[in-house]
Amino acid sequence: MPQINNSNSLDKIVALCKRRGFVFPSSEIYDGFTAVYDFGPYGVELANNIKKEWWRTMTQLRDDVVGLDSAIFMSPKIWEASGHVKGFSDPLTECKKCHTRLRLDALLEEAGIFADEKMSEEKINQIFSENKNKIKCPICGASDFTPGKKFNLLVQSNLGNFTNDWAKEPTYLRGETCQGIYVNFKNVLDSARVKIPFGIAQIGKAFRNEITARQFIFRTREFEQMEMQYFVKPGDDLKYYEEWKAARWKFYLDLGIEEKNLKWHKHENLVFYAREAYDIEYNFPFGFKELEGVHARGDYDLTQHSKFSGQDLQYLDPATNEKFIPHIVETSAGVGRIFLAILTEAYQEETIESETRIVLRLSPKLAPIKIAVFPLLKNKPELVNKAREIFNVLKISWRCEFDDNGNIGKRYRRQDEIGTPYCVTVDFDSLENEEVTVRDRDSMKQERIHISELERFFREKI
Ligand code: GAP
């Protein structure tokens, strides 16, 4: 029996991501670009599989949620209406010694003092000055900081503005995807034959000028969100809220995350319009942190957009003829955070006969490569041709990889590290009896299977 070591440090996961082509630091050949990352060949497959599962769960398996893909750039008025231009900020401080800019709430939290980004500037500065001597700069260790001030996280651009002082009237890269959903509420209502309660789901990029960027892809300045806004009759909020909480919890269990590594975090400092807000947290290598938010937002969003656009965004209930602004239950998750949670969950080191095997025990539906096909030897054309034939058939149904490099043991280890659930090896016996070896990633057990049976076998397993 192999000895299993589950102590996953972030460093090990970062190293695996680089070594095996899951995640690369952005612009690396130019010394990098802080808080932005690129997904490599296996990373893009894993991220796509996460998005596919979310989209399938949210739209295909429900008849009350439709999809949308709104543009990243929108009228700047949207960000005024939503409150982002005035209030989308984090408290910023600067270390007077090394001039590193830091998030004040995070500094306090690290020192074990309760604070969060939604607190007012006065409140957080008061807590800061009461605890000044307990807080040290994580870079140089000094404890001399500038007073906290709010720093707006919206990222600005000159899109569509051809003057040199565009910064006076900037357009914004969206800070969250859900605003594109709110402003299309009426379009969807008028075109998609939906009735309340119904939801609109969207996956897309969002941008935030995050002050501190640490913990790998957990907090980045460019990231992808998967958001769903569920429109309900006023008064029904909390009923649907509970349903969505249960549905979102189950989603993570279905991805293969162990329940002990998940927990709910209730927001104590609600923004004024919110009725209820919980986060699902995951036990990352740096502790339990937010994976997804489930929020009951009341009628704030549609009321604001109604006010600022001058359009009537009320819903006319066809059964009762009542008119009302729908209330919203939101579920909002980050692709990068789920990606990191999935890797943390799947990463294992096993000691087998004094050798270490690194294996990603990914659920087959998430694995970047489902089946790897090998000829036993590279220099035997009859083996290579047979393996190619099998690969060409299997690749039609599953994402497969052909590999004839190095010895079989090394090829298995490589596939273990990228989480491939099955490897198929063609050997000399295969040429005689049409049977191949299928090796299981988790148990490492091998069985002989007739080539004509392979598709049926994998259809059952994957
Ligand atoms: N529309 C609500 C909203 O955007 P949020 O809590 O700010 O709420 C939702 O973000 C989710 O988006 C988070 O739970 C997280 O998964 C992801 N997210 C937010 N900021 C992020 C960042 N800087 N980097 C990576 N993911 C982020």
Side-chain angles (χ1 to χ4, degrees):
M1 274 294 280
Q3 267 191 326
I4 295 172
N5 169 11
N6 271 328
S7 58
N8 303 335
S9 72
L10 187 60
D11 290 348
K12 285 180 184 172
I13 291 168
V14 174
L16 175 88
C17 281
K18 177 82 202 304
R19 185 169 72 246
R20 292 301 185 199
F22 280 89
V23 180
F24 305 130
S26 163
S27 321
E28 205 179 3
I29 60 167
Y30 289 95
D31 292 334
F33 191 60
T34 312
V36 184
Y37 288 89
D38 299 336
F39 288 110
Y42 297 122
V44 66
E45 298 288 344
L46 174 56
N48 281 344
N49 291 340
I50 292 169
K51 289 187 268 181
K52 223 187 289 165
E53 282 308 307
W54 186 88
W55 194 255
R56 183 173 163 273
T57 313
M58 283 297 190
T59 63
Q60 188 178 329
L61 297 183
R62 301 188 64 109
D63 55 10
D64 58 349
V65 180
V66 293
L68 180 81
D69 187 3
S70 67
I72 287 174
F73 285 102
M74 296 186 275
S75 162
K77 285 187 193 142
I78 288 173
W79 303 104
E80 278 170 39
S82 66
H84 283 74
V85 172
K86 274 208 180 123
F88 187 47
S89 52
D90 278 342
L92 167 83
T93 183
E94 190 176 314
C95 168
K96 283 192 183 162
K97 190 168 169 217
C98 70
H99 302 291
T100 305
R101 292 184 171 180
L102 299 153
R103 249 180 83 165
L104 189 45
D105 56 323
L107 266 183
L108 289 164
E109 211 179 75
E110 271 165 34
I113 301 149
F114 177 77
D116 75 35
E117 75 274 14
K118 292 185 186 76
M119 285 175 171
S120 68
E121 198 168 291
E122 298 75 55
K123 174 87 186 152
I124 209 155
N125 269 321
Q126 183 202 331
I127 302 176
F128 187 35
S129 59
E130 283 164 8
N131 294 284
K132 243 181 178 157
N133 51 353
K134 292 190 199 151
I135 298 160
K136 292 211 170 355
C137 171
I139 308 301
C140 70
S143 49
D144 196 7
F145 298 95
T146 59
K149 60 171 191 245
K150 289 275 181 180
F151 177 78
N152 194 290
L153 302 185
L154 277 181
V155 177
Q156 301 186 351
S157 115
N158 68 345
L159 188 92
N161 186 327
F162 303 98
T163 64
N164 284 332
D165 54 0
W166 59 269
K168 283 189 189 144
E169 282 177 42
T171 40
Y172 301 98
L173 279 81
R174 64 183 174 199
E176 57 179 9
T177 55
C178 59
Q179 297 300 329
I181 296 181
Y182 305 142
V183 299
N184 277 294
F185 166 72
K186 209 164 158 23
N187 281 335
V188 173
L189 197 61
D190 293 345
S191 61
R193 308 184 115 239
V194 282
K195 278 200 200 123
I196 271 178
F198 76 93
I200 304 177
Q202 158 152 258
I203 301 177
K205 291 260 172 142
F207 303 83
R208 297 182 187 177
N209 232 341
E210 298 285 357
I211 299 166
T212 35
R214 269 182 285 161
Q215 297 159 335
F216 193 36
I217 55 172
F218 179 81
R219 189 178 303 285
T220 51
R221 294 187 178 137
E222 173 179 340
F223 57 100
E224 229 173 345
Q225 286 188 315
M226 304 190 286
E227 297 202 294
M228 191 284 312
Q229 310 294 313
Y230 200 68
F231 301 90
V232 305
K233 198 171 165 177
D236 285 351
D237 318 36
L238 295 182
K239 172 177 126 200
Y240 289 111
Y241 185 69
E242 289 308 319
E243 281 185 23
W244 277 109
K245 268 178 76 186
R248 297 309 302 148
W249 187 263
K250 182 173 177 297
F251 176 75
Y252 292 105
L253 302 183
D254 290 347
L255 291 187
I257 293 186
E258 278 200 68
E259 202 154 16
K260 69 172 168 48
N261 288 328
L262 292 171
K263 75 177 185 199
W264 285 109
H265 166 79
K266 184 176 162 60
H267 283 228
E268 299 300 340
N269 279 303
L270 288 181
V271 278
F272 69 93
Y273 53 82
R275 313 208 45 203
E276 196 70 277
Y278 276 83
D279 293 336
I280 298 178
E281 294 190 338
Y282 176 74
N283 189 11
F284 288 100
F286 37 85
F288 274 97
K289 294 271 177 214
E290 177 182 346
L291 197 53
E292 161 156 3
V294 185
H295 309 138
R297 301 176 61 102
D299 64 1
Y300 174 77
D301 306 288
L302 291 183
T303 303
Q304 285 296 98
H305 287 303
S306 226
K307 229 189 263 171
F308 277 71
S309 68
Q311 303 287 319
D312 183 3
L313 298 180
Q314 290 183 95
Y315 176 79
L316 175 65
D317 190 323
T320 62
N321 266 338
E322 267 179 283
K323 263 186 150 191
F324 54 84
I325 292 268
H327 284 207
I328 290 173
V329 175
E330 167 183 74
T331 74
S332 175
V335 176
R337 290 202 187 168
I338 299 180
F339 186 107
L340 185 56
I342 293 291
L343 287 185
T344 307
E345 191 77 11
Y347 184 99
Q348 266 183 1
E349 285 179 6
E350 296 175 350
T351 311
I352 308 165
E353 291 164 9
S354 75
E355 266 196 38
T356 302
R357 169 173 100 121
I358 296 173
V359 55
L360 283 188
R361 291 186 192 274
L362 294 170
S363 150
K365 62 187 168 195
L366 295 182
I369 303 294
K370 317 293 181 200
I371 308 158
V373 183
F374 311 147
L376 182 66
L377 296 170
K378 188 182 183 164
N379 56 1
K380 296 286 171 200
E382 58 278 35
L383 296 181
V384 174
N385 290 343
K386 190 84 191 160
R388 277 263 170 221
E389 255 175 51
I390 294 171
F391 171 73
N392 285 336
V393 170
L394 295 179
K395 76 178 186 191
I396 294 168
S397 306
W398 297 281
R399 185 74 174 82
C400 297
E401 193 167 87
F402 184 88
D403 188 7
D404 57 8
N405 256 314
N407 68 43
I408 286 286
K410 282 209 174 116
R411 285 185 244 170
Y412 282 152
R413 290 290 180 268
R414 186 171 174 282
Q415 296 298 331
D416 287 342
E417 284 203 12
I418 62 167
T420 307
Y422 297 100
C423 295
V424 171
T425 303
V426 174
D427 56 24
F428 290 104
D429 287 345
S430 313
L431 303 175
E432 305 292 318
N433 61 15
E434 289 281 303
E435 284 180 2
V436 288
T437 301
V438 176
R439 185 252 196 190
D440 179 290
R441 175 196 68 199
D442 295 341
S443 64
M444 292 184 287
K445 287 214 173 96
Q446 304 188 359
E447 57 185 308
R448 295 292 284 183
I449 294 190
H450 199 274
I451 294 170
S452 65
E453 284 293 300
L454 278 177
E455 279 191 273
R456 191 192 52 76
F457 175 85
F458 288 127
R459 220 166 281 291
E460 271 173 22
K461 296 278 187 188
I462 299 173

